[in-house]
């Protein structure tokens, strides 16, 4: 399997020397994020599609659902799965159909942050206990990688889940009728909280901390800590896979800094959702359905 190009010794030394002077190649502060762009589908009948750009990093998420039979050991719960895929466009180290360690680690962290933290209430996806339920599937595609793909993927996934609408249904005995989007207004998913991931990179034996590292900075770092938490300050997970040792006070400092970034990401998602809702209601199908105007052709009276 081909490997991605690693930075040279001179490049690594230059990045480290700049960080020691509190400088970055893109003139950002050490804890400053790149501009975040969040867009939804322009089709008024499509929900749960997001396009997130964090600098040059780009992630697309698509949430879909279907009616299936629930698992035998979880008869009162629906099914929620997350599938993450790295596109070969991001570099020579990615091959189709052969997930590497980075892709598996990315999927595992998203599973812990979103699914295992019970962000989505799976009981609300149950239609008939033991017979029918909704299977919600989230597909993430990384189209461009310039660092912080976990932060971008988590933001795209949380935004897509908040934007997604499942079909409405009716139950008569054991007969289930699932309505189309144009037949009945779809229903929002029940989210208990909205966790986000913040990755902090370490340099110079753990004395320098950098957030939202670019790809070059990630290739030069000596360790990392991933903190998943919601806007209320509730920590869902703290992940650290190898690297330089970090003391407890440093971890507490990282958690405090991550909380500020989580609140910033949450505000970005809320603003994008409110903007999308205004655009959909502006002269769209909802306005036409609620309109009380009766456009009839007036006939002339006889006689």
């Amino acid at each position: 399997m081909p490997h991605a190009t690693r930075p040279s010794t001179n490049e690594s030394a230059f990045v480290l020397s700049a960080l020691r002077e509190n400088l970055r190649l893109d003139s950002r502060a050490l804890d400053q994020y790149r501009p975040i762009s969040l867009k939804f589908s322009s089709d008024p009948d499509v929900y749960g599609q997001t396009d997130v750009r964090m600098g040059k990093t780009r992630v697309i998420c698509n949430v879909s659902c279907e009616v299936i039979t629930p698992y035998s050991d979880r008869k009162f719960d629906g099914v929620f799965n997350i599938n993450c895929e790295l596109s070969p466009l991001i570099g020579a180290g990615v091959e189709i159909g052969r997930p590497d360690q980075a892709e598996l680690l990315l999927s595992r962290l998203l599973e812990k942050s979103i699914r295992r933290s019970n962000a989505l209430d799976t009981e609300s996806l149950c239609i008939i206990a033991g017979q029918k339920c909704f299977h919600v599937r989230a597909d993430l595609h990384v189209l461009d990688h310039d660092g912080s793909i976990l932060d971008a993927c988590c933001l795209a996934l949380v935004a897509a889940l908040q934007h997604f609408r499942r079909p409405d249904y009716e139950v008569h005995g054991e007969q289930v009728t699932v309505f189309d989007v144009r037949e009945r207004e779809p229903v929002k998913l029940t989210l208990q909280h909205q966790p986000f991931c913040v990755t902090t990179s370490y340099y110079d034996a753990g004395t320098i901390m950098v957030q939202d590292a670019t790809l070059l900075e990630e290739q030069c770092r000596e360790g990392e800590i991933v903190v998943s938490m919601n806007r209320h300050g509730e920590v869902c997970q703290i992940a650290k896979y190898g690297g330089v040792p970090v003391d407890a006070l440093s971890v507490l400092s990282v958690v405090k800094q991550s909380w500020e970034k989580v609140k910033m990401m949450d505000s970005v998602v809320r603003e994008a959702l409110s903007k999308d809702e205004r655009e959909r209601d502006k002269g769209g199908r909802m306005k036409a359905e609620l309109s009380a105007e009766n456009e009839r052709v007036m006939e002339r009276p006889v006689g």
Side-chain angles (χ1 to χ4, degrees):
M1 176 178 177
H3 294 278
T5 305
R6 303 291 300 180
S8 63
T9 304
N10 292 336
E11 289 178 321
S12 301
F14 177 76
V15 171
L16 182 58
S17 62
L19 292 177
R20 287 172 178 170
E21 299 179 3
N22 294 329
L23 298 176
R24 302 176 73 172
L25 299 183
D26 50 6
S27 302
R28 286 184 293 147
L30 298 184
D31 60 344
Q32 183 180 357
Y33 265 72
R34 291 167 291 183
I36 299 177
S37 172
L38 173 59
K39 296 181 180 179
F40 299 100
S41 175
S42 58
D43 191 342
D45 294 331
V46 176
Y47 295 93
Q49 289 186 2
T50 56
D51 185 354
V52 173
R53 297 172 186 250
M54 189 178 294
K56 295 182 180 180
T57 299
R58 184 181 181 186
V59 178
I60 291 180
C61 181
N62 181 40
V63 178
S64 59
C65 74
E66 60 179 349
V67 179
I68 64 170
T69 302
Y71 296 142
S72 58
D73 57 339
R74 304 186 67 90
K75 298 181 180 180
F76 299 94
D77 291 343
V79 181
F80 175 45
N81 289 331
I82 302 174
N83 180 34
C84 187
E85 180 181 350
L86 300 181
S87 172
L89 298 175
I90 67 176
V94 179
E95 293 182 1
I96 301 178
R98 298 183 61 181
D100 58 354
Q101 184 178 2
E103 187 172 351
L104 295 176
L105 182 61
L106 179 62
S107 300
R108 187 180 307 164
L109 290 174
L110 289 174
E111 286 276 343
K112 292 181 180 180
S113 303
I114 307 297
R115 193 175 67 86
R116 295 188 183 181
S117 65
N118 295 325
L120 176 62
D121 184 15
T122 55
E123 291 186 0
S124 64
L125 302 177
C126 179
I127 301 176
I128 299 179
Q131 297 184 18
K132 293 183 183 296
C133 71
F134 283 109
H135 174 205
V136 177
R137 175 188 174 97
D139 294 298
L140 289 152
H141 300 275
V142 181
L143 301 183
D144 201 353
H145 176 24
D146 191 28
S148 298
I149 58 173
L150 176 60
D151 301 1
C153 286
C154 189
L155 190 147
L157 178 56
V158 171
L161 290 176
Q162 294 187 66
H163 185 260
F164 182 70
R165 306 287 190 273
R166 65 164 178 81
D168 197 5
Y169 64 91
E170 283 186 356
V171 179
H172 299 282
E174 294 185 355
Q175 183 179 1
V176 179
T177 302
V178 180
F179 297 97
D180 188 71
V181 177
R182 295 185 177 273
E183 295 177 342
R184 185 173 293 185
E185 191 70 17
V187 183
K188 293 183 179 181
L189 296 178
T190 303
L191 295 178
Q192 299 180 357
H193 62 113
Q194 297 83 33
F196 296 91
C197 294
V198 178
T199 305
T200 303
S201 303
Y202 285 88
Y203 303 85
D204 200 12
T207 58
I208 302 176
M209 297 185 299
V210 173
Q211 291 182 338
D212 188 20
T214 62
L215 180 59
L216 177 60
E217 292 172 342
E218 286 185 354
Q219 293 173 339
C220 299
R221 66 187 176 191
E222 302 173 3
E224 61 176 326
I225 288 183
V226 178
V227 178
S228 302
M229 60 192 310
N230 53 32
R231 68 175 184 271
H232 304 294
E234 300 171 344
V235 178
C236 302
Q237 74 155 348
I238 297 178
K240 185 179 185 304
Y241 298 95
V244 295
V246 180
D247 56 8
L249 293 178
S250 179
V251 174
L252 292 177
S253 176
V254 168
V255 171
K256 184 177 180 180
Q257 294 180 3
S258 300
W259 189 17
E260 300 297 328
K261 304 306 176 184
V262 165
K263 290 188 288 187
M264 179 269 296
M265 295 181 185
D266 183 75
S267 64
V268 170
V269 174
R270 288 175 177 271
E271 182 179 353
L273 288 172
S274 61
K275 180 180 178 181
D276 178 78
E277 186 175 357
R278 291 193 303 267
E279 291 294 331
R280 288 173 182 269
D281 291 341
K282 179 181 174 182
R285 188 180 73 254
M286 183 65 67
K287 183 177 180 180
E289 292 178 355
L290 298 179
S291 177
E293 297 178 357
N294 189 1
E295 300 178 356
R296 295 180 179 177
V297 178
M298 300 300 294
E299 298 180 355
R300 295 181 179 180
V302 179

